[in-house]
Amino acid sequence: MADHDDERDLERRRKRASFLRELNEAKELRERVQPRKARAARMRQQMRMRTFRW
């Protein structure tokens, strides 16, 4: 039973890694296509992080 859980966990990690890779590729592509919008979005994100209370 435990090895089955490990397999499922491994598969989930693989899918997550693949998803994050694709997400980063999409972000990079968007930055290349629309650098000004991407820069503005980055600035907004930084402001959001700065004003966020933990």
Side-chain angles (χ1 to χ4, degrees):
M1 184 79 180
D3 58 341
H4 183 64
D5 288 344
D6 289 345
E7 264 179 47
R8 209 172 11 198
D9 193 41
L10 196 63
E11 179 65 23
R12 191 172 56 79
R13 286 174 195 249
R14 243 200 316 270
K15 283 183 181 175
R16 182 169 186 273
S18 166
F19 169 75
L20 290 175
R21 247 195 323 273
E22 288 173 7
L23 185 65
N24 281 333
E25 284 175 17
K27 280 183 183 175
E28 288 170 15
L29 181 62
R30 199 164 47 222
E31 283 188 20
R32 276 201 304 273
V33 174
Q34 301 175 325
R36 189 178 296 143
K37 276 189 181 176
R39 190 167 58 238
R42 252 196 324 273
M43 295 296 178
R44 280 195 302 275
Q45 176 67 13
Q46 286 173 351
M47 284 303 293
R48 221 176 297 137
M49 292 310 282
R50 254 182 255 144
T51 56
F52 185 74
R53 296 274 184 220
W54 291 100

